Amino acid sequence: MEKVFPLIETRRLILREVTIEDADDMFKYLSDIDVVKPMGLDPCQTVNDVWDEIKWYESIFQEGTGIRWGITLKDSGKVIGSCGFLKMVTKHHRAEIGYELSKDHWGKGIAIEALEAVVMYGYRHLYLERIEALIEPDNHPSQKLVEKQGFRREGLLRHYEYTCGKFDDLYMYSLIKEDLNDISFNSLS
């Protein structure tokens, strides 16, 4: 049986599966050092590099280890970022959340709107109990984003990842399903 990729709609956004046809739009932000550095990635040099990213999105969905939505504005349909789950462990009902957004759209509430929708999808449809976010200590905007969402900082993971030729420390944040009682989500349609 073939899996159907879910579509999520919010007040301003459509979160959908990305395809090879989205590669040029994605290249615009995945080639930006300011966007990809906090992800531990080198900027994409060619559209072929973006195809590798799209293939990774497809593989984690097919394997059941994650799902990554392209973030699009309802009025344009162009992919301006992505948000989704990786490292999903269904046995333990947990996943890590990740996201990035084109610099042209920073500061407009788009990331929080996408994050809210994906978090709610994870609890309602993937039956997650725990959602984790791993964030570099210098990435203050991302820390503020997840904290607004109700995530709690649990601690520092020292030299947790080796990316771009160096070891990175990462803060571990989590949001437990019962934490939702203390949070109100405003941007879901």
Side-chain angles (χ1 to χ4, degrees):
M1 181 178 233
E2 193 170 317
K3 293 182 184 182
V4 176
F5 196 96
L7 186 79
I8 301 175
E9 185 173 346
T10 69
R11 189 171 54 82
R12 298 180 293 168
L13 308 173
I14 300 284
L15 306 178
R16 63 166 175 82
E17 183 174 20
V18 297
T19 67
I20 295 297
E21 288 77 31
D22 298 310
D24 288 333
D25 293 333
M26 294 172 69
F27 180 73
K28 289 176 186 167
Y29 63 85
L30 290 175
S31 61
D32 185 333
I33 186 73
D34 294 332
V35 173
V36 299
K37 184 178 180 255
M39 300 163 58
L41 299 175
D42 288 320
C44 290
Q45 300 299 311
T46 68
V47 173
N48 286 351
D49 296 337
V50 177
W51 294 346
D52 291 339
E53 186 77 1
I54 293 170
K55 288 175 190 168
W56 177 69
Y57 294 177
E58 291 171 357
S59 72
I60 62 171
F61 180 66
Q62 291 305 318
E63 294 164 2
T65 60
I67 182 169
R68 193 79 167 205
W69 286 270
I71 301 170
T72 68
L73 296 172
K74 284 183 178 179
D75 61 358
S76 76
K78 291 185 177 189
V79 177
I80 59 170
S82 77
C83 186
F85 298 111
L86 61 150
K87 300 180 185 171
M88 255 176 30
V89 184
T90 54
K91 175 183 175 184
H92 299 295
H93 302 272
R94 74 171 179 251
E96 182 182 325
I97 198 160
Y99 45 85
E100 80 278 335
L101 187 65
S102 171
K103 201 167 21 177
D104 295 341
H105 299 282
W106 289 1
K108 298 177 182 177
I110 292 170
I112 192 86
E113 189 170 331
L115 190 65
E116 284 179 3
V118 170
V119 163
M120 290 310 297
Y121 185 90
Y123 288 126
R124 290 179 180 157
H125 301 283
L126 301 176
Y127 309 106
L128 296 175
E129 175 63 23
R130 174 186 171 88
I131 298 174
E132 301 170 343
L134 298 175
I135 303 171
E136 290 183 346
D138 291 339
N139 190 348
H140 301 290
S142 193
Q143 291 171 42
K144 287 179 185 174
L145 175 68
V146 298
E147 288 168 358
K148 281 182 186 176
Q149 195 68 46
F151 281 74
R152 297 180 189 171
R153 186 187 302 175
E154 295 182 336
L156 180 69
L157 304 172
R158 298 180 318 137
H159 286 209
Y160 189 74
E161 289 183 337
Y162 184 79
T163 59
C164 302
K166 64 180 179 33
F167 288 100
D168 295 319
D169 296 340
L170 296 173
Y171 282 131
M172 169 66 79
Y173 282 85
S174 72
L175 183 68
I176 306 299
K177 190 174 185 179
E178 69 186 34
D179 295 339
L180 295 179
N181 297 330
D182 302 329
I183 304 165
S184 66
F185 293 126
N186 300 317
S187 34
L188 299 178
S189 56

